[in-house]
């Protein structure tokens, strides 16, 4: 699985958009980009994933660059409850024997401030 | 659905003791895995399984054993607990096809003294 690089910490004002970057310059063609978050030592929570097209769901949007070497997770209107550690992970799609494992990096600690 | 259930939530062991951390999922997921998280660190993969009867090692497998006799259960055994195994342990499961996001349990906080 490709290695990812994220800034260790970011701040965001409540109600504003939070843009969390991730570099994955060695990503392979069959690897997806996944985002998880972990709130205060709870189990990680899935947010969104994508291959090459931008994706949006009820929680967030994922923007992947055309060369797929980086991506940005966007929380459109951050709230205090979005304060968490956000992990960007790249891994192969389902159907591979590697699907069952996720390799976590250090993640980005997002602090949403009033 | 209860999702992924881990027991116990907290445990204190003495060095050299053995124990089993339990993980069960009721979503009929093929893939299950165990992670540990040390203070201020990300999660590290211990062992994982792609189906009943199939397991493989992750990043930090030493000192741990797993088996997968049923789809639902994936216990993690500590053979001889050491202080270095003090950590929070998370179990996760994900389906083999279709949606591929992993679902995590709430963790087991283990202290070895």
């Amino acid at each position: 699985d490709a290695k990812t690089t994220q800034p260790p910490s970011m701040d965001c004002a409540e109600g504003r958009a939070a843009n969390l970057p991730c570099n994955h310059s060695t990503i392979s063609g069959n690897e997806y980009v996944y985002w998880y978050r972990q709130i205060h030592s709870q189990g990680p929570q899935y947010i969104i994933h994508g291959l090459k097209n931008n994706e949006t769901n009820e929680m967030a949007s994922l923007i992947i660059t055309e060369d797929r070497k980086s991506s940005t997770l966007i929380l459109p209107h951050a709230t205090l409850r979005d304060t968490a550690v956000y992990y960007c992970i790249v891994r192969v799609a389902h159907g591979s024997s590697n699907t069952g494992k996720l390799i976590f990096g250090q993640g980005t600690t997002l602090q949403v401030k009033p | 659905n209860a999702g992924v259930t881990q027991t116990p939530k907290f445990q204190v062991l003495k060095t050299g003791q053995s124990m089993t951390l339990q993980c069960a999922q009721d979503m009929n997921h093929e893939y299950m895995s165990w992670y540990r998280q040390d203070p201020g660190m990300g999660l590290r993969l211990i062992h994982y399984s792609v189906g009943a009867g199939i397991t493989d090692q992750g990043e930090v497998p030493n000192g741990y054993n797993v088996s997968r006799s049923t789809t639902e259960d994936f216990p993690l055994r500590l053979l001889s607990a050491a202080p270095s195994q003090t950590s929070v342990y998370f179990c996760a499961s994900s389906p083999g096809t279709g949606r591929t996001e992993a679902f995590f349990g709430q963790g087991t906080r283990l202290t070895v003294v």
Side-chain angles (χ1 to χ4, degrees), chain A residues 34 36 38 46 91 94 102, chain B residues 35 37 43 45 100-102:
Chain A
Y34 282 77
Y36 285 78
Q38 188 176 26
Y46 165 83
R91 71 177 209 190
H94 64 80
L102 299 168
Chain B
Y35 299 83
Q37 185 172 33
L43 283 74
L45 180 67
T100 59
E101 65 265 32

Side-chain angles (χ1 to χ4, degrees), chain A residues 55-67:
Chain A
E55 301 287 344
T56 297
N57 64 19
E58 64 277 6
M59 291 182 67
S61 295
L62 174 60
I63 309 298
I64 303 174
T65 59
E66 191 169 344
D67 63 7

Side-chain angles (χ1 to χ4, degrees), chain A residues 57-112:
Chain A
N57 64 19
E58 64 277 6
M59 291 182 67
S61 295
L62 174 60
I63 309 298
I64 303 174
T65 59
E66 191 169 344
D67 63 7
R68 301 185 70 240
K69 293 185 177 182
S70 65
S71 60
T72 302
L73 178 74
I74 301 172
L75 307 178
H77 304 287
T79 70
L80 299 179
R81 290 175 292 178
D82 291 322
T83 292
V85 179
Y86 288 77
Y87 295 100
C88 170
I89 300 164
V90 293
R91 71 177 209 190
V92 296
H94 64 80
S96 161
S97 62
N98 289 330
T99 302
K101 61 180 185 179
L102 299 168
I103 304 299
F104 287 80
Q106 296 297 307
T108 296
T109 298
L110 175 68
Q111 182 72 47
V112 180

